[in-house]
Every structure is written in structure tokens, then in C-alpha cells.
């Protein structure tokens, strides 16, 4: 199965991600994306248990809670989001090293301006995914 060419997400959810990124700065915020196929239905905040400011690591218990919440709604955890408080929404080498296939990655960049971009891992590299604001 190939990566979806684009993903739908409500504008209100994108606004929520930008707000969480600003609140967490200078640390990165992170969380899980719940949905089905090419649509993000909700964004679940998770604790970032990474010790460095420029890293993120979803708290395992928050990941499990998101899995349960998704299952209860007949949905799935389809990806994760995190922020780049002082750079653009482009995956870092660390992001690439930690990435898993079949997951959708949303990155919120705050510099030079707030912007959310979507990425998929394909053959070991991140490729951009179109983000359709609904
Ligand atoms: Zn990153």
C-alpha cells in the first residue's frame, strides 16, 4: 500500500496544534493523530518525556491511552505530531532516525512563521504529503 497523496484535517485542529506548539516552546510539544485512512479526526496531546528541549518522545502511557480512545471510536492512531519551536516544519535527522513506516507525521514549525506540514516515510526518506484544510 502506498502513502496517501494527501490528508484531510479540520482547520480548527491545525489551529490547536499551533497553539500547543506555542504553549510548549521552547520545548517541543507532541501527540498522536487519530483518524481513518486519509483523514485526521482528532489530535491527542501527549507528555513529551524527552530530556532535551530539541527532542520529543511520546510518553508510553499516553500512547496507550490514545490507542484505547481510537479503538473506542472505531478509529486508529494514524500518526504523530510534534513541534519545531525555533525552526521550520521540516523533519530533522533525529525525526528520520525515529520514524516508523505507515505513520503520518505532522510537524508544527514556528519559525519564520507558524506552519504545519505533513510527511510520510517512504523507502527510508520523508516525503511531503499534501494537507487539505477542511
Ligand atoms: Zn522534529
Amino acid at each position: 500500500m502506498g502513502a496517501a497523496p494527501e490528508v484531510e484535517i479540520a482547520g480548527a485542529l491545525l489551529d490547536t496544534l499551533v497553539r500547543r506548539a506555542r504553549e510548549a516552546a521552547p520545548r517541543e510539544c507532541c501527540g498522536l493523530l487519530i483518524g481513518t485512512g486519509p483523514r485526521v479526526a482528532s489530535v491527542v496531546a501527549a507528555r513529551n518525556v524527552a530530556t532535551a528541549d530539541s527532542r520529543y518522545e511520546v510518553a508510553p502511557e499516553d500512547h496507550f491511552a490514545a490507542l484505547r480512545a481510537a479503538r473506542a471510536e472505531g478509529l486508529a492512531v494514524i500518526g504523530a505530531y510534534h513541534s519545531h519551536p525555533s525552526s521550520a516544519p521540516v523533519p530533522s535527522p533525529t525525526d528520520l532516525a525515529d520514524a516508523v513506516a505507515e505513520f503520518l507525521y505532522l510537524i508544527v514549525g514556528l519559525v519564520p512563521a507558524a506552519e504545519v506540514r505533513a510527511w510520510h516515510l517512504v523507502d527510508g526518506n520523508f516525503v511531503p504529503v499534501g494537507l487539505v484544510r477542511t
Side-chain angles (χ1 to χ4, degrees), residues 91-134:
S92 67
T94 303
D95 292 336
L96 185 58
D98 292 346
V100 294
E102 302 300 328
F103 236 38
L104 171 71
Y105 290 91
L106 292 189
I107 304 181
V108 189
L110 294 181
V111 175
E115 184 189 359
V116 181
R117 289 193 208 162
W119 305 85
H120 257 133
L121 191 67
V122 178
D123 296 332
N125 287 296
F126 276 115
V127 295
V129 176
L131 207 49
V132 179
R133 193 182 175 113
T134 61

Side-chain angles (χ1 to χ4, degrees), residues 21-117:
R22 288 189 168 129
E23 287 170 355
R27 282 183 63 77
E28 298 188 2
C29 70
C30 63
L32 285 311
L33 307 172
I34 290 177
T36 174
R39 196 177 82 85
V40 177
S42 60
V43 293
V44 179
R47 279 163 295 165
N48 179 358
V49 296
T51 49
D53 276 355
S54 61
R55 295 287 301 269
Y56 80 99
E57 187 180 341
V58 172
E61 56 269 44
D62 292 345
H63 196 157
F64 292 132
L67 286 169
R68 283 194 299 271
R71 209 174 293 137
E73 295 177 69
L75 299 172
V77 173
I78 58 172
Y81 71 85
H82 73 284
S83 62
H84 286 176
S86 56
S87 63
V90 175
S92 67
T94 303
D95 292 336
L96 185 58
D98 292 346
V100 294
E102 302 300 328
F103 236 38
L104 171 71
Y105 290 91
L106 292 189
I107 304 181
V108 189
L110 294 181
V111 175
E115 184 189 359
V116 181
R117 289 193 208 162

